[in-house]
Amino acid sequence: MMAEQGQADILIGPYRTPEREARFLFSKRGFYEDALVFYALPSNAGLWRGDPNELSGHAVGAGRGLGLRPGH
């Protein structure tokens, strides 16, 4: 909102969505990455083979702000 109202010149960190692309110019390449970690019960450990498309049809939950730090 601050960028839209001229109170900020740039916005760092918004994920690219069709709605945001209609309002903002995004850099061609991102300059940070989010770490993704896959957790499963031992009985479901074989579900992850590196391709998120293979999880189609399975119940998947997402956590935010878990406090993970690089290297930990």
Side-chain angles (χ1 to χ4, degrees):
M1 184 180 292
M2 289 177 66
E4 286 183 311
Q5 294 176 353
Q7 298 171 347
D9 295 321
I10 62 170
L11 185 60
I12 298 173
Y15 290 98
R16 190 179 294 237
T17 65
E19 294 82 14
R20 289 180 179 148
E21 285 183 333
R23 298 186 336 229
F24 301 113
L25 295 175
F26 281 82
S27 61
K28 292 194 186 305
R29 295 185 52 192
F31 53 87
Y32 67 92
E33 295 179 1
D34 288 332
L36 299 177
V37 182
F38 182 79
Y39 294 93
L41 295 172
S43 60
N44 292 328
L47 290 175
W48 180 250
R49 292 185 291 274
D51 182 0
N53 294 316
E54 292 183 14
L55 299 176
S56 178
H58 294 280
V60 177
R64 292 181 57 176
L66 299 176
L68 299 175
R69 293 177 292 157
H72 292 84

